[in-house]
Every structure is written in C-alpha cells, then in structure tokens.
Amino acid sequence: MNYISKHCRISNRIIALGGQIVYENKGNNLDEFMNSAFAWLSIAYPKFYKMDRLSKLGFLGSEILLKDEKLLDKYLPERIAVVLSNSNASLDTDLKYFESTKTIASPALFVYTLSNIVAGEICIRQGIKGENAFFVLPQFDAARLVEYVEIVMASPKTEACIAGWVDVLGEQHDVLLYLLEKSKDGGLEHTAEQLQKLYQKNYGPVDGGS
C-alpha cells in the first residue's frame, strides 16, 4: 500500500495545503492571482513569468506541496516520478498561439503547446529525473489515476511520486496535486475513494475574497 503524505488543492483562486487554506483570492483575474501567489512564495525563479498558465499552476501547486519537504534528501532524483492529467490538454495556450499566428507566430507560446510541458517544468524546478507521464481525460478520474500511479510505484525504481490533476481554460482552473510515498507515517491510503474526497472538497470562495 502507498500513502498520500501531502496534498495541495487550487481552485476558485484559493490554495489549500493538507486541507487548510494557505492563500486565497488575490487579484481580479487568474493571471493576477497566480502572480500574486508566486510573489507570496518569495522565491527567486524569473522563468515563472515566461510560463503558460498550465505550467504556472503546476509550478505553484508543486512548490506549495513540497514546501519544507526535502524530497531529494529522502530519495534519489531518478526514483521520483511525476504523473499528471487534465481534460483540456494545452488548449488554453493553443488558443493564444493560434491568435498570435494571425500576425507573427509566437515562439514563446509555441513551446507550451504540449500539455506535458508542465511536468517538465516541475521536474526542472524540483530536480526530479524519474518517470513522468501526462494523460488527457474527459474529466477528473480518480480510479484511473490511482491505477496508473500504483503501477508506477510498483517499480523498484520508483520510491515516490508527485501525481494529480492540473487543468486550466480561460479563468477556469482546477488543481489537485499530491505526494505519494511507500511509508505510512500518518498518510492517507491511496484509493480512488480517498482521492475523490480530496478533489471534491470545496474551499471557497471565502468571505467574498478580496
């Protein structure tokens, strides 16, 4: 049995870690919210501003998920996997890129017209070198995610996995990231039922936001 040791949820411009809200509803739109959340983290990573929205959400989620977690002190980089999924692939960026082709096609946007780029951005930032995969599904599918992640974790080469859902289209954003480990230590059992509960928990809006 593998266990969910930490989980991060981003929706309604609210960020929750372990079921507790840590940051909420700053800015008038999604871009302002993401930029303000990044500023709140107080980290030096200029590349963040060049990322597309999907990568920014994945970056924020993984950064908060692994805050105070010295993952590379516990596991070798090649023994940590990343498995992500969503329903809109890279459509949010694809639409922006298509608009740019009407004048001068944007190379900066073209880089992000693949949904798995977000996994690459997380791996680069966190120093992860293990297996990674990205699935495009009709909707959040806890059973399918658990099934594949368990297969990945069954490999003797994998000791931990960052997994979950990272989706965005326009102002709609939906993130659930979790860290899966083989040690229990108070973690939640990695079952479809448990994952569905974490996904469905509603965190807001809270007090009308700001």
Side-chain angles (χ1 to χ4, degrees):
M1 174 66 71
N2 299 301
Y3 297 89
I4 300 169
S5 54
K6 300 182 76 174
H7 54 94
C8 176
R9 189 81 169 92
I10 305 177
S11 63
N12 298 313
R13 283 186 276 160
I14 288 172
I15 302 175
L17 177 64
Q20 300 297 316
I21 294 175
V22 295
Y23 190 82
E24 61 182 287
N25 210 1
K26 303 294 182 182
N28 296 318
N29 56 46
L30 179 58
D31 291 314
E32 290 181 7
F33 163 70
M34 292 188 296
N35 288 340
S36 65
F38 177 72
W40 168 72
L41 285 170
S42 297
I43 57 175
Y45 202 74
K47 188 181 179 184
F48 176 84
Y49 295 105
K50 298 179 181 180
M51 295 179 188
D52 72 336
R53 287 174 163 182
L54 186 64
S55 294
K56 283 183 176 180
L57 284 169
F59 179 95
L60 290 171
S62 60
E63 196 71 22
I64 292 168
L65 178 73
L66 300 177
K67 182 176 172 59
D68 302 322
E69 182 76 35
K70 296 181 180 179
L71 204 58
L72 296 183
D73 287 349
K74 297 167 65 176
Y75 308 108
L76 293 173
E78 59 270 22
R79 292 188 177 276
I80 307 169
V82 176
V83 178
L84 303 176
S85 57
N86 76 8
S87 63
N88 286 302
S90 58
L91 183 58
D92 187 73
T93 303
D94 295 343
L95 293 172
K96 292 181 176 63
Y97 177 73
F98 176 73
E99 284 301 313
S100 78
T101 63
K102 295 178 180 179
T103 52
I104 300 176
S106 169
L109 286 173
F110 180 74
V111 169
Y112 290 98
T113 54
L114 286 173
S115 52
N116 66 335
I117 296 297
V118 58
E121 294 287 10
I122 291 172
C123 289
I124 291 170
R125 169 62 180 171
Q126 303 298 336
I128 295 170
K129 298 180 181 179
E131 179 177 346
N132 69 78
F134 196 104
F135 298 97
V136 179
L137 306 171
Q139 59 189 9
F140 179 78
D141 190 331
R144 186 173 296 188
L145 188 57
V146 166
E147 180 182 14
Y148 186 82
V149 172
E150 285 295 324
I151 292 173
V152 172
M153 289 293 288
S155 168
K157 296 181 180 179
T158 304
E159 296 179 326
C161 182
I162 297 169
W165 181 262
V166 184
D167 201 23
V168 63
L169 185 61
E171 291 297 301
Q172 298 177 7
H173 55 288
D174 192 17
V175 178
L176 171 63
L177 288 179
Y178 62 96
L179 175 62
L180 193 68
E181 300 180 87
K182 295 180 178 179
S183 174
K184 187 174 183 180
D185 290 336
L188 304 171
E189 289 189 359
H190 188 229
T191 64
E193 292 76 15
Q194 183 62 66
L195 202 58
Q196 190 67 35
K197 286 180 182 178
L198 296 180
Y199 178 74
Q200 289 181 329
K201 184 171 182 179
N202 183 19
Y203 293 99
V206 177
D207 297 331
S210 61

PDB file of all heavy atoms in Angstrom, residues 160-196:
ATOM      1  N   ALA A 160       8.805   7.379  -4.828  1.00  0.00           N
ATOM      2  CA  ALA A 160       7.859   8.458  -4.528  1.00  0.00           C
ATOM      3  C   ALA A 160       7.306   8.990  -5.843  1.00  0.00           C
ATOM      4  O   ALA A 160       7.923   8.835  -6.904  1.00  0.00           O
ATOM      5  CB  ALA A 160       8.530   9.574  -3.741  1.00  0.00           C
ATOM      6  N   CYS A 161       6.134   9.620  -5.771  1.00  0.00           N
ATOM      7  CA  CYS A 161       5.520  10.146  -6.990  1.00  0.00           C
ATOM      8  C   CYS A 161       4.711  11.400  -6.678  1.00  0.00           C
ATOM      9  O   CYS A 161       3.960  11.438  -5.702  1.00  0.00           O
ATOM     10  CB  CYS A 161       4.608   9.088  -7.601  1.00  0.00           C
ATOM     11  SG  CYS A 161       3.821   9.591  -9.158  1.00  0.00           S
ATOM     12  N   ILE A 162       4.896  12.424  -7.503  1.00  0.00           N
ATOM     13  CA  ILE A 162       4.031  13.603  -7.470  1.00  0.00           C
ATOM     14  C   ILE A 162       2.965  13.358  -8.530  1.00  0.00           C
ATOM     15  O   ILE A 162       3.288  13.177  -9.707  1.00  0.00           O
ATOM     16  CB  ILE A 162       4.809  14.885  -7.775  1.00  0.00           C
ATOM     17  CG1 ILE A 162       5.859  15.131  -6.699  1.00  0.00           C
ATOM     18  CG2 ILE A 162       3.865  16.087  -7.875  1.00  0.00           C
ATOM     19  CD1 ILE A 162       6.838  16.233  -7.050  1.00  0.00           C
ATOM     20  N   ALA A 163       1.719  13.326  -8.114  1.00  0.00           N
ATOM     21  CA  ALA A 163       0.649  12.973  -9.047  1.00  0.00           C
ATOM     22  C   ALA A 163      -0.536  13.909  -8.891  1.00  0.00           C
ATOM     23  O   ALA A 163      -0.641  14.645  -7.915  1.00  0.00           O
ATOM     24  CB  ALA A 163       0.217  11.522  -8.812  1.00  0.00           C
ATOM     25  N   GLY A 164      -1.439  13.858  -9.885  1.00  0.00           N
ATOM     26  CA  GLY A 164      -2.662  14.633  -9.742  1.00  0.00           C
ATOM     27  C   GLY A 164      -3.194  15.228 -11.022  1.00  0.00           C
ATOM     28  O   GLY A 164      -2.915  14.758 -12.126  1.00  0.00           O
ATOM     29  N   TRP A 165      -3.948  16.303 -10.848  1.00  0.00           N
ATOM     30  CA  TRP A 165      -4.758  16.932 -11.895  1.00  0.00           C
ATOM     31  C   TRP A 165      -4.380  18.408 -11.978  1.00  0.00           C
ATOM     32  O   TRP A 165      -4.390  19.109 -10.960  1.00  0.00           O
ATOM     33  CB  TRP A 165      -6.216  16.768 -11.513  1.00  0.00           C
ATOM     34  CG  TRP A 165      -7.252  17.319 -12.447  1.00  0.00           C
ATOM     35  CD1 TRP A 165      -7.887  18.523 -12.338  1.00  0.00           C
ATOM     36  CD2 TRP A 165      -7.816  16.666 -13.585  1.00  0.00           C
ATOM     37  NE1 TRP A 165      -8.819  18.655 -13.343  1.00  0.00           N
ATOM     38  CE2 TRP A 165      -8.787  17.529 -14.126  1.00  0.00           C
ATOM     39  CE3 TRP A 165      -7.580  15.428 -14.201  1.00  0.00           C
ATOM     40  CZ2 TRP A 165      -9.530  17.199 -15.254  1.00  0.00           C
ATOM     41  CZ3 TRP A 165      -8.334  15.093 -15.335  1.00  0.00           C
ATOM     42  CH2 TRP A 165      -9.287  15.969 -15.841  1.00  0.00           C
ATOM     43  N   VAL A 166      -4.033  18.871 -13.168  1.00  0.00           N
ATOM     44  CA  VAL A 166      -3.709  20.289 -13.385  1.00  0.00           C
ATOM     45  C   VAL A 166      -4.418  20.728 -14.656  1.00  0.00           C
ATOM     46  O   VAL A 166      -4.021  20.339 -15.758  1.00  0.00           O
ATOM     47  CB  VAL A 166      -2.186  20.523 -13.523  1.00  0.00           C
ATOM     48  CG1 VAL A 166      -1.900  22.024 -13.636  1.00  0.00           C
ATOM     49  CG2 VAL A 166      -1.429  19.927 -12.347  1.00  0.00           C
ATOM     50  N   ASP A 167      -5.461  21.544 -14.515  1.00  0.00           N
ATOM     51  CA  ASP A 167      -6.282  21.906 -15.672  1.00  0.00           C
ATOM     52  C   ASP A 167      -6.576  23.398 -15.671  1.00  0.00           C
ATOM     53  O   ASP A 167      -6.780  24.001 -14.606  1.00  0.00           O
ATOM     54  CB  ASP A 167      -7.592  21.118 -15.621  1.00  0.00           C
ATOM     55  CG  ASP A 167      -8.273  21.032 -16.972  1.00  0.00           C
ATOM     56  OD1 ASP A 167      -7.574  21.182 -18.003  1.00  0.00           O
ATOM     57  OD2 ASP A 167      -9.495  20.787 -17.022  1.00  0.00           O
ATOM     58  N   VAL A 168      -6.623  23.990 -16.864  1.00  0.00           N
ATOM     59  CA  VAL A 168      -6.956  25.408 -16.978  1.00  0.00           C
ATOM     60  C   VAL A 168      -7.520  25.687 -18.364  1.00  0.00           C
ATOM     61  O   VAL A 168      -7.088  25.107 -19.366  1.00  0.00           O
ATOM     62  CB  VAL A 168      -5.717  26.305 -16.721  1.00  0.00           C
ATOM     63  CG1 VAL A 168      -4.636  26.067 -17.768  1.00  0.00           C
ATOM     64  CG2 VAL A 168      -6.105  27.774 -16.681  1.00  0.00           C
ATOM     65  N   LEU A 169      -8.507  26.555 -18.416  1.00  0.00           N
ATOM     66  CA  LEU A 169      -9.029  27.074 -19.674  1.00  0.00           C
ATOM     67  C   LEU A 169      -9.689  28.406 -19.365  1.00  0.00           C
ATOM     68  O   LEU A 169     -10.689  28.458 -18.648  1.00  0.00           O
ATOM     69  CB  LEU A 169     -10.034  26.118 -20.315  1.00  0.00           C
ATOM     70  CG  LEU A 169     -10.543  26.545 -21.702  1.00  0.00           C
ATOM     71  CD1 LEU A 169      -9.400  26.651 -22.703  1.00  0.00           C
ATOM     72  CD2 LEU A 169     -11.597  25.567 -22.219  1.00  0.00           C
ATOM     73  N   GLY A 170      -9.115  29.476 -19.882  1.00  0.00           N
ATOM     74  CA  GLY A 170      -9.617  30.797 -19.544  1.00  0.00           C
ATOM     75  C   GLY A 170      -9.426  31.062 -18.062  1.00  0.00           C
ATOM     76  O   GLY A 170      -8.357  30.847 -17.505  1.00  0.00           O
ATOM     77  N   GLU A 171     -10.494  31.484 -17.393  1.00  0.00           N
ATOM     78  CA  GLU A 171     -10.423  31.743 -15.954  1.00  0.00           C
ATOM     79  C   GLU A 171     -10.669  30.494 -15.113  1.00  0.00           C
ATOM     80  O   GLU A 171     -10.494  30.509 -13.901  1.00  0.00           O
ATOM     81  CB  GLU A 171     -11.445  32.823 -15.568  1.00  0.00           C
ATOM     82  CG  GLU A 171     -11.110  34.215 -16.086  1.00  0.00           C
ATOM     83  CD  GLU A 171      -9.807  34.739 -15.498  1.00  0.00           C
ATOM     84  OE1 GLU A 171      -9.704  34.846 -14.264  1.00  0.00           O
ATOM     85  OE2 GLU A 171      -8.885  35.039 -16.284  1.00  0.00           O
ATOM     86  N   GLN A 172     -11.083  29.411 -15.764  1.00  0.00           N
ATOM     87  CA  GLN A 172     -11.356  28.176 -15.039  1.00  0.00           C
ATOM     88  C   GLN A 172     -10.033  27.460 -14.731  1.00  0.00           C
ATOM     89  O   GLN A 172      -9.242  27.187 -15.638  1.00  0.00           O
ATOM     90  CB  GLN A 172     -12.267  27.257 -15.870  1.00  0.00           C
ATOM     91  CG  GLN A 172     -13.629  27.869 -16.162  1.00  0.00           C
ATOM     92  CD  GLN A 172     -14.484  26.979 -17.049  1.00  0.00           C
ATOM     93  OE1 GLN A 172     -14.119  25.853 -17.356  1.00  0.00           O
ATOM     94  NE2 GLN A 172     -15.624  27.506 -17.477  1.00  0.00           N
ATOM     95  N   HIS A 173      -9.810  27.152 -13.473  1.00  0.00           N
ATOM     96  CA  HIS A 173      -8.574  26.481 -13.067  1.00  0.00           C
ATOM     97  C   HIS A 173      -8.892  25.446 -12.005  1.00  0.00           C
ATOM     98  O   HIS A 173      -9.769  25.655 -11.168  1.00  0.00           O
ATOM     99  CB  HIS A 173      -7.545  27.491 -12.553  1.00  0.00           C
ATOM    100  CG  HIS A 173      -8.061  28.361 -11.451  1.00  0.00           C
ATOM    101  ND1 HIS A 173      -8.979  29.365 -11.653  1.00  0.00           N
ATOM    102  CD2 HIS A 173      -7.801  28.366 -10.117  1.00  0.00           C
ATOM    103  CE1 HIS A 173      -9.255  29.959 -10.510  1.00  0.00           C
ATOM    104  NE2 HIS A 173      -8.560  29.368  -9.549  1.00  0.00           N
ATOM    105  N   ASP A 174      -8.188  24.335 -12.058  1.00  0.00           N
ATOM    106  CA  ASP A 174      -8.534  23.200 -11.218  1.00  0.00           C
ATOM    107  C   ASP A 174      -7.290  22.346 -10.995  1.00  0.00           C
ATOM    108  O   ASP A 174      -6.772  21.739 -11.935  1.00  0.00           O
ATOM    109  CB  ASP A 174      -9.617  22.389 -11.937  1.00  0.00           C
ATOM    110  CG  ASP A 174     -10.273  21.353 -11.045  1.00  0.00           C
ATOM    111  OD1 ASP A 174     -10.141  21.459  -9.816  1.00  0.00           O
ATOM    112  OD2 ASP A 174     -10.929  20.438 -11.591  1.00  0.00           O
ATOM    113  N   VAL A 175      -6.801  22.319  -9.767  1.00  0.00           N
ATOM    114  CA  VAL A 175      -5.555  21.601  -9.462  1.00  0.00           C
ATOM    115  C   VAL A 175      -5.711  20.750  -8.206  1.00  0.00           C
ATOM    116  O   VAL A 175      -6.226  21.214  -7.191  1.00  0.00           O
ATOM    117  CB  VAL A 175      -4.379  22.587  -9.243  1.00  0.00           C
ATOM    118  CG1 VAL A 175      -3.104  21.837  -8.869  1.00  0.00           C
ATOM    119  CG2 VAL A 175      -4.150  23.446 -10.483  1.00  0.00           C
ATOM    120  N   LEU A 176      -5.281  19.513  -8.307  1.00  0.00           N
ATOM    121  CA  LEU A 176      -5.089  18.664  -7.133  1.00  0.00           C
ATOM    122  C   LEU A 176      -3.775  17.926  -7.334  1.00  0.00           C
ATOM    123  O   LEU A 176      -3.652  17.095  -8.243  1.00  0.00           O
ATOM    124  CB  LEU A 176      -6.224  17.645  -6.968  1.00  0.00           C
ATOM    125  CG  LEU A 176      -5.969  16.572  -5.886  1.00  0.00           C
ATOM    126  CD1 LEU A 176      -5.838  17.202  -4.501  1.00  0.00           C
ATOM    127  CD2 LEU A 176      -7.062  15.509  -5.891  1.00  0.00           C
ATOM    128  N   LEU A 177      -2.793  18.252  -6.529  1.00  0.00           N
ATOM    129  CA  LEU A 177      -1.506  17.563  -6.582  1.00  0.00           C
ATOM    130  C   LEU A 177      -1.262  16.883  -5.244  1.00  0.00           C
ATOM    131  O   LEU A 177      -1.611  17.429  -4.191  1.00  0.00           O
ATOM    132  CB  LEU A 177      -0.364  18.549  -6.868  1.00  0.00           C
ATOM    133  CG  LEU A 177      -0.276  19.113  -8.295  1.00  0.00           C
ATOM    134  CD1 LEU A 177       0.888  20.086  -8.394  1.00  0.00           C
ATOM    135  CD2 LEU A 177      -0.120  17.999  -9.318  1.00  0.00           C
ATOM    136  N   TYR A 178      -0.665  15.715  -5.297  1.00  0.00           N
ATOM    137  CA  TYR A 178      -0.354  15.028  -4.054  1.00  0.00           C
ATOM    138  C   TYR A 178       0.986  14.292  -4.161  1.00  0.00           C
ATOM    139  O   TYR A 178       1.436  13.941  -5.260  1.00  0.00           O
ATOM    140  CB  TYR A 178      -1.472  14.065  -3.654  1.00  0.00           C
ATOM    141  CG  TYR A 178      -1.766  12.933  -4.625  1.00  0.00           C
ATOM    142  CD1 TYR A 178      -1.198  11.669  -4.447  1.00  0.00           C
ATOM    143  CD2 TYR A 178      -2.638  13.106  -5.692  1.00  0.00           C
ATOM    144  CE1 TYR A 178      -1.482  10.620  -5.308  1.00  0.00           C
ATOM    145  CE2 TYR A 178      -2.929  12.067  -6.553  1.00  0.00           C
ATOM    146  CZ  TYR A 178      -2.352  10.821  -6.360  1.00  0.00           C
ATOM    147  OH  TYR A 178      -2.634   9.788  -7.219  1.00  0.00           O
ATOM    148  N   LEU A 179       1.595  14.100  -3.012  1.00  0.00           N
ATOM    149  CA  LEU A 179       2.851  13.361  -2.924  1.00  0.00           C
ATOM    150  C   LEU A 179       2.540  11.973  -2.401  1.00  0.00           C
ATOM    151  O   LEU A 179       1.936  11.819  -1.333  1.00  0.00           O
ATOM    152  CB  LEU A 179       3.830  14.072  -1.988  1.00  0.00           C
ATOM    153  CG  LEU A 179       5.152  13.349  -1.703  1.00  0.00           C
ATOM    154  CD1 LEU A 179       5.958  13.166  -2.987  1.00  0.00           C
ATOM    155  CD2 LEU A 179       5.964  14.122  -0.663  1.00  0.00           C
ATOM    156  N   LEU A 180       2.943  10.972  -3.157  1.00  0.00           N
ATOM    157  CA  LEU A 180       2.702   9.586  -2.780  1.00  0.00           C
ATOM    158  C   LEU A 180       4.015   8.925  -2.372  1.00  0.00           C
ATOM    159  O   LEU A 180       5.020   9.023  -3.086  1.00  0.00           O
ATOM    160  CB  LEU A 180       2.075   8.824  -3.952  1.00  0.00           C
ATOM    161  CG  LEU A 180       1.473   7.460  -3.621  1.00  0.00           C
ATOM    162  CD1 LEU A 180       0.238   7.623  -2.750  1.00  0.00           C
ATOM    163  CD2 LEU A 180       1.118   6.704  -4.900  1.00  0.00           C
ATOM    164  N   GLU A 181       3.986   8.272  -1.213  1.00  0.00           N
ATOM    165  CA  GLU A 181       5.173   7.587  -0.706  1.00  0.00           C
ATOM    166  C   GLU A 181       4.793   6.206  -0.186  1.00  0.00           C
ATOM    167  O   GLU A 181       3.624   5.923   0.050  1.00  0.00           O
ATOM    168  CB  GLU A 181       5.827   8.413   0.408  1.00  0.00           C
ATOM    169  CG  GLU A 181       6.262   9.801  -0.046  1.00  0.00           C
ATOM    170  CD  GLU A 181       6.894  10.606   1.064  1.00  0.00           C
ATOM    171  OE1 GLU A 181       8.114  10.492   1.267  1.00  0.00           O
ATOM    172  OE2 GLU A 181       6.154  11.350   1.747  1.00  0.00           O
ATOM    173  N   LYS A 182       5.787   5.353   0.001  1.00  0.00           N
ATOM    174  CA  LYS A 182       5.535   3.989   0.458  1.00  0.00           C
ATOM    175  C   LYS A 182       5.471   3.885   1.977  1.00  0.00           C
ATOM    176  O   LYS A 182       5.032   2.882   2.514  1.00  0.00           O
ATOM    177  CB  LYS A 182       6.605   3.054  -0.102  1.00  0.00           C
ATOM    178  CG  LYS A 182       6.547   2.951  -1.627  1.00  0.00           C
ATOM    179  CD  LYS A 182       7.586   2.026  -2.214  1.00  0.00           C
ATOM    180  CE  LYS A 182       7.428   1.945  -3.733  1.00  0.00           C
ATOM    181  NZ  LYS A 182       8.425   1.073  -4.366  1.00  0.00           N
ATOM    182  N   SER A 183       5.887   4.936   2.654  1.00  0.00           N
ATOM    183  CA  SER A 183       5.849   4.966   4.112  1.00  0.00           C
ATOM    184  C   SER A 183       4.535   5.581   4.577  1.00  0.00           C
ATOM    185  O   SER A 183       4.113   6.623   4.075  1.00  0.00           O
ATOM    186  CB  SER A 183       7.026   5.777   4.653  1.00  0.00           C
ATOM    187  OG  SER A 183       6.930   5.945   6.043  1.00  0.00           O
ATOM    188  N   LYS A 184       3.874   4.959   5.544  1.00  0.00           N
ATOM    189  CA  LYS A 184       2.575   5.442   6.019  1.00  0.00           C
ATOM    190  C   LYS A 184       2.705   6.774   6.748  1.00  0.00           C
ATOM    191  O   LYS A 184       2.227   7.798   6.286  1.00  0.00           O
ATOM    192  CB  LYS A 184       1.920   4.403   6.924  1.00  0.00           C
ATOM    193  CG  LYS A 184       0.494   4.758   7.314  1.00  0.00           C
ATOM    194  CD  LYS A 184      -0.164   3.627   8.083  1.00  0.00           C
ATOM    195  CE  LYS A 184      -1.612   3.976   8.406  1.00  0.00           C
ATOM    196  NZ  LYS A 184      -2.280   2.883   9.147  1.00  0.00           N
ATOM    197  N   ASP A 185       3.338   6.778   7.924  1.00  0.00           N
ATOM    198  CA  ASP A 185       3.610   7.992   8.694  1.00  0.00           C
ATOM    199  C   ASP A 185       2.425   8.961   8.724  1.00  0.00           C
ATOM    200  O   ASP A 185       2.566  10.154   8.459  1.00  0.00           O
ATOM    201  CB  ASP A 185       4.846   8.720   8.136  1.00  0.00           C
ATOM    202  CG  ASP A 185       6.131   7.951   8.423  1.00  0.00           C
ATOM    203  OD1 ASP A 185       6.147   7.164   9.379  1.00  0.00           O
ATOM    204  OD2 ASP A 185       7.095   8.120   7.662  1.00  0.00           O
ATOM    205  N   GLY A 186       1.250   8.452   9.010  1.00  0.00           N
ATOM    206  CA  GLY A 186       0.075   9.310   9.121  1.00  0.00           C
ATOM    207  C   GLY A 186      -0.554   9.686   7.800  1.00  0.00           C
ATOM    208  O   GLY A 186      -1.488  10.495   7.757  1.00  0.00           O
ATOM    209  N   GLY A 187      -0.064   9.104   6.687  1.00  0.00           N
ATOM    210  CA  GLY A 187      -0.604   9.432   5.375  1.00  0.00           C
ATOM    211  C   GLY A 187      -1.960   8.793   5.117  1.00  0.00           C
ATOM    212  O   GLY A 187      -2.419   7.921   5.866  1.00  0.00           O
ATOM    213  N   LEU A 188      -2.599   9.233   4.058  1.00  0.00           N
ATOM    214  CA  LEU A 188      -3.911   8.700   3.660  1.00  0.00           C
ATOM    215  C   LEU A 188      -3.719   7.562   2.664  1.00  0.00           C
ATOM    216  O   LEU A 188      -2.828   7.611   1.816  1.00  0.00           O
ATOM    217  CB  LEU A 188      -4.742   9.813   3.003  1.00  0.00           C
ATOM    218  CG  LEU A 188      -4.959  11.085   3.829  1.00  0.00           C
ATOM    219  CD1 LEU A 188      -5.596  12.164   2.954  1.00  0.00           C
ATOM    220  CD2 LEU A 188      -5.832  10.792   5.046  1.00  0.00           C
ATOM    221  N   GLU A 189      -4.543   6.548   2.760  1.00  0.00           N
ATOM    222  CA  GLU A 189      -4.452   5.436   1.835  1.00  0.00           C
ATOM    223  C   GLU A 189      -4.715   5.916   0.406  1.00  0.00           C
ATOM    224  O   GLU A 189      -5.607   6.729   0.162  1.00  0.00           O
ATOM    225  CB  GLU A 189      -5.445   4.339   2.211  1.00  0.00           C
ATOM    226  CG  GLU A 189      -5.076   3.593   3.478  1.00  0.00           C
ATOM    227  CD  GLU A 189      -5.961   2.386   3.702  1.00  0.00           C
ATOM    228  OE1 GLU A 189      -6.869   2.141   2.880  1.00  0.00           O
ATOM    229  OE2 GLU A 189      -5.733   1.684   4.699  1.00  0.00           O
ATOM    230  N   HIS A 190      -3.932   5.398  -0.526  1.00  0.00           N
ATOM    231  CA  HIS A 190      -4.052   5.806  -1.926  1.00  0.00           C
ATOM    232  C   HIS A 190      -5.135   4.979  -2.613  1.00  0.00           C
ATOM    233  O   HIS A 190      -4.876   3.983  -3.275  1.00  0.00           O
ATOM    234  CB  HIS A 190      -2.696   5.621  -2.628  1.00  0.00           C
ATOM    235  CG  HIS A 190      -2.666   6.186  -4.006  1.00  0.00           C
ATOM    236  ND1 HIS A 190      -2.198   5.478  -5.099  1.00  0.00           N
ATOM    237  CD2 HIS A 190      -3.027   7.414  -4.477  1.00  0.00           C
ATOM    238  CE1 HIS A 190      -2.272   6.245  -6.167  1.00  0.00           C
ATOM    239  NE2 HIS A 190      -2.773   7.414  -5.828  1.00  0.00           N
ATOM    240  N   THR A 191      -6.368   5.414  -2.437  1.00  0.00           N
ATOM    241  CA  THR A 191      -7.509   4.753  -3.065  1.00  0.00           C
ATOM    242  C   THR A 191      -8.287   5.769  -3.885  1.00  0.00           C
ATOM    243  O   THR A 191      -8.195   6.987  -3.665  1.00  0.00           O
ATOM    244  CB  THR A 191      -8.453   4.154  -2.003  1.00  0.00           C
ATOM    245  OG1 THR A 191      -9.014   5.232  -1.221  1.00  0.00           O
ATOM    246  CG2 THR A 191      -7.716   3.192  -1.085  1.00  0.00           C
ATOM    247  N   ALA A 192      -9.066   5.274  -4.831  1.00  0.00           N
ATOM    248  CA  ALA A 192      -9.886   6.160  -5.656  1.00  0.00           C
ATOM    249  C   ALA A 192     -10.880   6.928  -4.801  1.00  0.00           C
ATOM    250  O   ALA A 192     -11.144   8.112  -5.037  1.00  0.00           O
ATOM    251  CB  ALA A 192     -10.604   5.350  -6.729  1.00  0.00           C
ATOM    252  N   GLU A 193     -11.436   6.269  -3.794  1.00  0.00           N
ATOM    253  CA  GLU A 193     -12.417   6.908  -2.917  1.00  0.00           C
ATOM    254  C   GLU A 193     -11.781   8.072  -2.155  1.00  0.00           C
ATOM    255  O   GLU A 193     -12.364   9.162  -2.046  1.00  0.00           O
ATOM    256  CB  GLU A 193     -12.984   5.885  -1.933  1.00  0.00           C
ATOM    257  CG  GLU A 193     -13.846   4.807  -2.546  1.00  0.00           C
ATOM    258  CD  GLU A 193     -13.046   3.735  -3.262  1.00  0.00           C
ATOM    259  OE1 GLU A 193     -11.814   3.655  -3.060  1.00  0.00           O
ATOM    260  OE2 GLU A 193     -13.652   2.975  -4.045  1.00  0.00           O
ATOM    261  N   GLN A 194     -10.589   7.851  -1.624  1.00  0.00           N
ATOM    262  CA  GLN A 194      -9.898   8.892  -0.870  1.00  0.00           C
ATOM    263  C   GLN A 194      -9.521  10.058  -1.774  1.00  0.00           C
ATOM    264  O   GLN A 194      -9.685  11.224  -1.416  1.00  0.00           O
ATOM    265  CB  GLN A 194      -8.639   8.322  -0.209  1.00  0.00           C
ATOM    266  CG  GLN A 194      -7.883   9.319   0.658  1.00  0.00           C
ATOM    267  CD  GLN A 194      -8.704   9.812   1.822  1.00  0.00           C
ATOM    268  OE1 GLN A 194      -9.040   9.060   2.733  1.00  0.00           O
ATOM    269  NE2 GLN A 194      -9.060  11.085   1.811  1.00  0.00           N
ATOM    270  N   LEU A 195      -9.044   9.744  -2.973  1.00  0.00           N
ATOM    271  CA  LEU A 195      -8.639  10.787  -3.911  1.00  0.00           C
ATOM    272  C   LEU A 195      -9.841  11.612  -4.358  1.00  0.00           C
ATOM    273  O   LEU A 195      -9.757  12.843  -4.482  1.00  0.00           O
ATOM    274  CB  LEU A 195      -7.950  10.144  -5.122  1.00  0.00           C
ATOM    275  CG  LEU A 195      -7.018  11.048  -5.943  1.00  0.00           C
ATOM    276  CD1 LEU A 195      -5.915  11.623  -5.061  1.00  0.00           C
ATOM    277  CD2 LEU A 195      -6.425  10.265  -7.103  1.00  0.00           C
ATOM    278  N   GLN A 196     -10.974  10.956  -4.560  1.00  0.00           N
ATOM    279  CA  GLN A 196     -12.186  11.666  -4.953  1.00  0.00           C
ATOM    280  C   GLN A 196     -12.638  12.626  -3.855  1.00  0.00           C
ATOM    281  O   GLN A 196     -13.085  13.743  -4.129  1.00  0.00           O
ATOM    282  CB  GLN A 196     -13.303  10.668  -5.262  1.00  0.00           C
ATOM    283  CG  GLN A 196     -14.530  11.279  -5.920  1.00  0.00           C
ATOM    284  CD  GLN A 196     -14.251  11.781  -7.326  1.00  0.00           C
ATOM    285  OE1 GLN A 196     -13.470  11.194  -8.065  1.00  0.00           O
ATOM    286  NE2 GLN A 196     -14.893  12.883  -7.697  1.00  0.00           N
TER     287      GLN A 196
END
